[in-house]
Amino acid sequence: MKFLSNLFKKKIESVEDILSHPDGKRYYRDSHLIRKNMIDEDAVKIIHRLNKFGFKAYIVGGGVRDLLLGRKPKDFDVVTNATPNQIKKIFNNCRIIGRRFKIVHILFRGKVIEVSTFRSLPDYRLGKAVEDQDYLIKRDNKFGTPQEDAARRDFTINSLYYDVRNDSIIDYVGGFDDIQNKVLRVIGDPDISFREDPVRMLRAVKFAEILGLEIEKTTAKAIRKHKIELEKASSSRMLEEYNKIFRTWKTSLIFQGMAEHGLLEVLFREAFEKERKKNSNFGDKFLETNIGKRLAIADKLLTEREEMTPHIFYSLIFSDLVTDALSKENMNLVSAIKNNLEPIFKRLETPKKDKDRLIKIFASQQRFLSTEDEKSSQNNFFRMKDYFYDAFMVFKIGAIAENDEQAIQSAFFWEISVRKRPIPVKKFNGGGGGGGGGRNRSRGKNFRKNREEGGQNQKGGEERNRRGDGSQSESQRSGGNDSDSGKANHSDFE
């Protein structure tokens, strides 16, 4: 069957064989609602200046995608046929960055606009995928045409060009229709694309959950087939991608998608080993797992404007491993935590400062069970620690997820600061005194409400998020855009 499938698979001999519209299909103003006044004015100025010097230039990627989906992009990327050195001669306020692929950052006050050059299509993209060939991109500084640049990007939805001169969208790969149909599709052969850049598999799941898209069948099948390729991905890019996921307010749903497509078996295999032994297809019930419950509560707290750092999320993921280690190993607390997590840190190439912080977070969890008022000076000293907030949030989320009443009361104690005895006051109009007591009871009530609601409506919210119903605008989530360059910025997703 596999032989027949490969036999009748379309042979790719040129870039035109990859493109749905080799000559570029233009969608004018009557086909969409994007207008030049929706684009960052500095990005428009960059394009006009490049045009003035005889170069082509367009808005590309996530900015176009988000506007078509009715979302407000956080920033806009520009693509041009000018080389980085040519761009630098035109703009004084810029710098060339990147090794794998050189791009230009043009600097404005409080803002950076990324300008990239059209890239060429690698030779191996022409022809069928070879099983044992290494397609991983290590250097990518060959420049090409708009057609080649569109063909070698990751997904069709990220390959649309917007021409500010006439408000038209240029589509070479069928991305416009895919956005209308809410479909996420790899450009070209996914067997090559995911081996060329394994991070695309993680990004595919992320985009599907955030944007309410359905992953096309061939693309989904290739994710499961090539998931082990994620071990070859750059650790810095993976950490950057995780941090973007943690800022989406949908970490639990993205992790559920990762579980459904088998990615957690590669990315965080130690943390999910127990779940896999219980149920190899635990993706559909991910939110019922310990980690799923904790991540869902963290997402809910984010919607309530609580701050959630990456260290909190990593702690929520590895919490069960530490608990198991401490129950088995008869050694010093910190040593037991280090011994258990060090192999994971080594595999993920976790920076030392992050390792140290995670160890402190785990080592301090028992400290939150101590709530004696007599130790107020020690408690205040503990609160001064730079890791206190992260450690407290991990303790609080764990208490809510496990519905541990004693731990919840302890978390309440630490959240409302050191309790003060009510100050007796004279009765007035029949009312009783007790300065501050009513406020503390109110905060306790709110805390319990958070606990009770933490796991409720998750499935309903999950379905709404999958459909894209009732979700907040991406600008509220600090949404970003997507060039395929792996840049480091503060957007939630590229």
Side-chain angles (χ1 to χ4, degrees), residues 13 73 86 89 95 109 130 133 213 228 260 332 336 365 456:
E13 297 180 339
Q86 288 172 327
K89 290 179 181 178
R95 64 188 178 201
R109 181 174 294 180
V130 179
Q133 184 168 337
L213 307 178
I228 197 67
E260 290 171 350
N332 174 270
Q365 291 301 292
Q456 292 178 2

Side-chain angles (χ1 to χ4, degrees), residues 290-323:
N290 291 337
I291 298 176
K293 290 177 183 177
R294 291 194 289 265
L295 293 179
I297 293 168
D299 285 338
K300 183 176 184 299
L301 291 174
L302 269 174
T303 67
E304 296 171 353
R305 304 300 182 187
E306 293 279 13
E307 183 181 350
M308 291 288 151
T309 67
H311 296 102
I312 293 173
F313 280 101
Y314 285 120
S315 299
L316 298 178
I317 293 168
F318 296 124
S319 182
D320 294 334
L321 290 175
V322 173
T323 301

Side-chain angles (χ1 to χ4, degrees), residues 202 205-206 208-209 215 224 245 250-265 268 272 280-289 291-293 295-296 299 458-466:
L202 177 57
V205 174
K206 179 183 69 174
E209 295 297 339
I215 299 179
R224 284 194 164 274
I245 289 173
K250 293 185 179 181
T251 299
S252 57
L253 297 180
I254 295 172
F255 268 65
Q256 177 172 261
M258 289 160 62
E260 290 171 350
H261 289 86
L263 299 187
L264 292 182
E265 300 169 19
F268 296 102
F272 293 97
S280 58
N281 298 317
F282 70 95
D284 56 339
K285 294 185 177 180
F286 175 79
L287 293 180
E288 298 175 17
T289 66
I291 298 176
K293 290 177 183 177
L295 293 179
D299 285 338
Q458 288 171 11
K459 291 186 178 179
E462 168 194 349
E463 291 304 318
R464 287 194 298 275
N465 288 334
R466 282 181 181 276

Side-chain angles (χ1 to χ4, degrees), residues 57-108:
Y58 308 107
I59 299 294
V60 69
V64 184
R65 174 199 70 211
D66 289 345
L67 288 173
L68 285 175
L69 287 169
R71 298 169 179 269
K72 184 178 179 181
K74 186 177 181 181
D75 51 23
F76 295 91
D77 287 347
V78 174
V79 66
T80 178
N81 60 342
T83 66
N85 287 331
Q86 288 172 327
I87 297 170
K88 193 168 184 179
K89 290 179 181 178
I90 297 173
F91 298 93
N92 294 324
N93 55 326
C94 74
R95 64 188 178 201
I96 298 175
I97 68 164
R99 290 183 180 177
R100 193 185 79 172
F101 180 70
K102 293 187 183 302
I103 56 178
V104 178
H105 278 178
I106 299 183
L107 312 176
F108 296 89

